[in-house]
Amino acid sequence: MNDAVTVRVQREDFDLAAEVSALSRGRADIGAVVTFSGLCRDEAGALSALELEHYPGMAEAEIERICREAVKRFRLEAAIAIHRFGKIMPGENIVLVVTASSHRQAAFDGAGFIMDFLKTSAPFWKKEHRADGSAGGWVSAKDADDTARDRWSQND
Amino acid sequence: MSTINLVYFSWVRERIGKSEETLELPANVVTVADLLAHLKTLGEQYEAALEHQNVIRAAINQEHVDHGEAIAGAREIALFPPMTGG
């Protein structure tokens, strides 16, 4: 099961299509692949960039823990999570999650589970750079993200 | 006294004015909550950074912990705001 999980925390962009084809190449046991990618919004033109800070070491370890939990819980064949850091412009990628399983529901659920936990426990912080040049603030954590995470424990 | 490596992130880092430091801790600093209380005695920046103590998250040796967690044996303690990745 060790090769089932791929985690990368990187400054560089990623290629969604390349990740999916690498994951499914030569495999006949995968019946469903779900991808989620999170992009930087411009907030109706107000934002010029997001600065993503992370805790090196812990970020990778925490995302890997979440992915392994998802693989076990939903019996995924594979999971990939890639999270970028540094300065990210509107329209650019921030995060990618790919899950693969025999059947679609497990892949959908696995991707949702990974994102909900990633948002609430992976050590990343977003700082806004504003288009008008004024000092942007740090993005506040949302209660809705905690609620989204907590629904997974209610289903046990 | 024990020596501990501290790392700070996001606005905790900005308000304290440094990303890491090594401190000697008095013996009566046993838990994360004790550590936060002790840091607030070190100056205005620390007071400003840790003012809303309940909001501050902590990790010991890169694993999330509650404020009640004992810090004995910790190599590295990180303090940061709630996470906003994804």
Side-chain angles (χ1 to χ4, degrees):
Chain A
M1 195 167 84
N2 276 0
D3 347 311
V5 170
T6 303
V7 172
R8 297 206 299 274
V9 174
Q10 61 189 37
R11 188 178 290 279
E12 309 77 52
D13 197 9
F14 50 77
D15 181 339
L16 188 152
E19 298 298 336
V20 171
S21 62
L23 178 84
S24 54
R25 189 176 301 130
R27 297 188 61 162
D29 57 333
I30 292 173
V33 174
V34 164
T35 65
F36 169 83
S37 50
L39 291 79
C40 177
R41 290 184 304 260
D42 73 353
E43 304 293 356
L47 207 69
S48 65
L50 280 175
E51 187 92 37
L52 266 290
E53 180 172 338
H54 76 297
Y55 185 175
M58 184 176 172
E60 291 88 343
E62 197 64 19
I63 297 174
E64 180 159 340
R65 186 189 63 73
I66 294 162
C67 288
R68 293 204 181 286
E69 177 68 25
V71 165
K72 194 171 139 199
R73 178 167 174 157
F74 304 102
R75 299 175 186 277
L76 303 177
E77 300 299 332
I80 299 173
I82 303 173
H83 204 303
R84 297 181 65 196
F85 63 87
K87 202 168 186 180
I88 295 176
M89 306 297 174
E92 288 187 352
N93 293 313
I94 297 175
V95 62
L96 174 69
V97 168
V98 184
T99 51
S101 63
S102 305
H103 301 287
R104 73 178 185 281
Q105 198 58 49
F108 277 125
D109 289 347
F113 177 94
I114 290 169
M115 275 310 301
D116 287 342
F117 279 83
L118 186 153
K119 285 195 79 88
T120 49
S121 78
F124 288 85
W125 302 271
K126 289 193 184 103
K127 187 172 196 175
E128 295 180 336
H129 291 257
R130 306 196 67 79
D132 63 7
S134 65
W138 291 93
V139 173
S140 298
K142 293 185 186 71
D143 291 343
D145 290 334
D146 289 335
T147 307
R149 175 201 60 204
D150 292 344
R151 75 191 156 107
W152 295 104
S153 53
Q154 287 157 11
N155 293 340
D156 281 341
Chain B
M1 294 284 252
S2 62
T3 305
I4 193 74
N5 296 313
L6 292 165
V7 290
Y8 311 120
F9 294 97
S10 184
W11 51 255
V12 173
R13 170 179 56 74
E14 286 184 344
R15 289 176 194 175
I16 289 177
K18 56 185 103 172
S19 59
E20 58 186 301
E21 64 185 324
T22 302
L23 286 183
E24 295 288 329
L25 296 179
N28 63 351
V29 175
V30 176
T31 64
V32 172
D34 295 339
L35 172 66
L36 294 172
H38 173 70
L39 288 172
K40 283 199 272 191
T41 68
L42 300 184
E44 277 176 22
Q45 294 107 306
Y46 292 91
E47 281 182 53
L50 308 174
E51 182 189 2
H52 302 291
Q53 192 165 317
N54 292 339
V55 171
I56 302 295
R57 306 291 175 90
I60 294 182
N61 302 338
Q62 305 198 342
E63 288 186 26
H64 294 293
V65 294
D66 295 330
H67 287 194
E69 189 80 11
I71 63 173
R75 295 183 306 276
E76 180 175 275
I77 300 180
L79 299 176
F80 44 77
M83 288 121 315
T84 55

